[in-house]
Amino acid sequence: MSDASLWTALADPHRRVIVGLLLERPRPVGEIADACGLSQPSTSKHLKVLREAGLVRVRQDAQRRVYTLDPAPIAELDAWLAPYRKLWNDSLDALGRRLDETAATAATMGESSDEDNRAHDPKD
């Protein structure tokens, strides 16, 4: 498996749906085709790309071909993404802190406005 073939295989939305289906359990090509709303020949072409990228394995079960997900390339992809995920998480943490600060400031200002309104209320 090359990095390029893995990225190319996952670039297509139909193939990502197929990977998602195979994440749940092994499936025969006909079931995959039905779930994706594709013809069997089209599904077979997508499965061939996924197989060549090392993402799926196929086994014969009588007259059927049953496809399973190979987790190794996904683990490699996860390892490659790890440093980028840290950057993303750091940014999300900073955003969360900023939102908390903004909410606290708004709550404090809201309390002050309530006090001001009560002090100037002519009914009192």
Side-chain angles (χ1 to χ4, degrees):
M1 174 215 55
S2 73
D3 287 345
S5 66
L6 177 63
W7 289 108
T8 300
L10 292 173
D12 185 277
H14 289 110
R15 291 193 284 267
R16 289 193 305 271
V17 169
I18 291 169
V19 168
L21 289 168
L22 295 177
L23 180 61
E24 296 170 1
R25 63 182 165 79
R27 296 173 188 261
V29 70
E31 187 178 321
I32 296 168
D34 290 344
C36 293
L38 299 171
S39 67
Q40 191 154 342
S42 179
T43 302
S44 293
K45 288 178 184 178
H46 286 298
L47 286 164
K48 180 181 179 189
V49 172
L50 292 169
R51 193 175 64 247
E52 288 173 351
L55 287 162
V56 299
R57 294 183 220 144
V58 62
R59 69 176 166 79
Q60 285 292 134
D61 181 23
Q63 298 291 57
R64 302 181 324 163
R65 291 177 160 223
V66 178
Y67 288 84
T68 64
L69 190 63
D70 185 342
I74 302 294
E76 290 174 28
L77 180 60
D78 182 58
W80 185 86
L81 288 170
Y84 300 97
R85 191 176 302 110
K86 182 178 178 349
L87 290 172
W88 183 250
N89 287 340
D90 290 347
S91 296
L92 288 175
D93 290 344
L95 175 62
R97 286 190 299 275
R98 179 67 178 139
L99 291 173
D100 290 344
E101 291 167 6
T102 303
T105 301
T108 303
M109 293 177 83
E111 289 172 9
S112 298
S113 295
D114 290 345
E115 289 171 10
D116 291 344
N117 289 339
R118 281 193 295 266
H120 299 302
D121 192 349
K123 293 183 215 169
D124 291 334

